[in-house]
Amino acid sequence: FILIIFLFLNSNSFSQQDQSSTITMQQFKEKLKNDKQIIVLDVRTEEEEAGPLGKIEKAINIPIQVLEQRINELEPYKDKEITVICRTQNRSAMAVNILLKKGYKAKYVLGGMTAFKEE
């Protein structure tokens, strides 16, 4: 419930986030194919990862609900860009905001796993 309220109150800031924080699905798929060093963070729950949209093989799974408590797990990647994905892009946008505030470089995938599965 609190997460829903947070999303509602901050929806304007996420929709107005500048494009330097985003990556298109086409760009993401190219990076997956060509960049062996890509760091992908999936902020969906483990249940969602096991669901019909599937998961990206090399993705690190840290659900958005516990990202701030587990952010130290991403410390080895602090000097690299982290590409964040979720189901649609709402939670990944939130995650990017958290990561940027903590000094990480991050972008979220427009359309999320829904778009990934469609293309």
Side-chain angles (χ1 to χ4, degrees):
F1 179 72
I2 293 172
L3 182 61
I4 292 169
I5 290 173
F6 180 80
L7 283 170
F8 176 75
L9 293 175
N10 289 296
S11 62
N12 283 343
S13 65
F14 296 138
S15 62
Q16 294 172 0
Q17 194 162 28
D18 80 58
Q19 292 181 340
S20 66
S21 296
T22 64
I23 183 172
T24 66
M25 185 54 66
Q26 182 180 357
Q27 292 168 322
F28 177 60
K29 286 192 172 188
E30 281 295 313
K31 279 185 94 169
L32 274 179
K33 189 164 83 172
N34 300 319
D35 183 357
K36 302 294 182 215
Q37 304 296 318
I38 187 171
I39 308 301
V40 179
L41 173 64
D42 189 331
V43 294
R44 298 176 298 153
T45 64
E46 289 180 19
E47 294 80 19
E48 285 178 286
E49 261 197 337
L53 293 178
K55 68 179 199 169
I56 295 166
E57 189 176 319
K58 49 169 88 173
I60 299 163
N61 177 245
I62 303 177
I64 187 70
Q65 298 87 338
V66 295
L67 180 59
E68 290 195 73
Q69 293 88 344
R70 293 179 52 191
I71 201 156
N72 61 325
E73 295 175 34
L74 299 173
E75 189 68 31
Y77 314 110
K78 196 144 191 184
D79 63 331
K80 299 181 190 243
E81 182 177 275
I82 298 172
T83 306
V84 185
I85 196 161
C86 67
R87 186 174 60 85
T88 58
Q89 82 185 32
N90 293 328
R91 287 173 286 174
S92 55
M94 285 176 52
V96 164
N97 282 337
I98 292 168
L99 291 168
L100 292 175
K101 286 178 187 171
K102 300 285 186 176
Y104 288 83
K105 295 177 236 150
K107 293 186 178 194
Y108 67 91
V109 182
L110 295 171
M113 288 299 292
T114 303
F116 185 80
K117 193 72 169 182
E118 287 174 1
E119 290 189 23

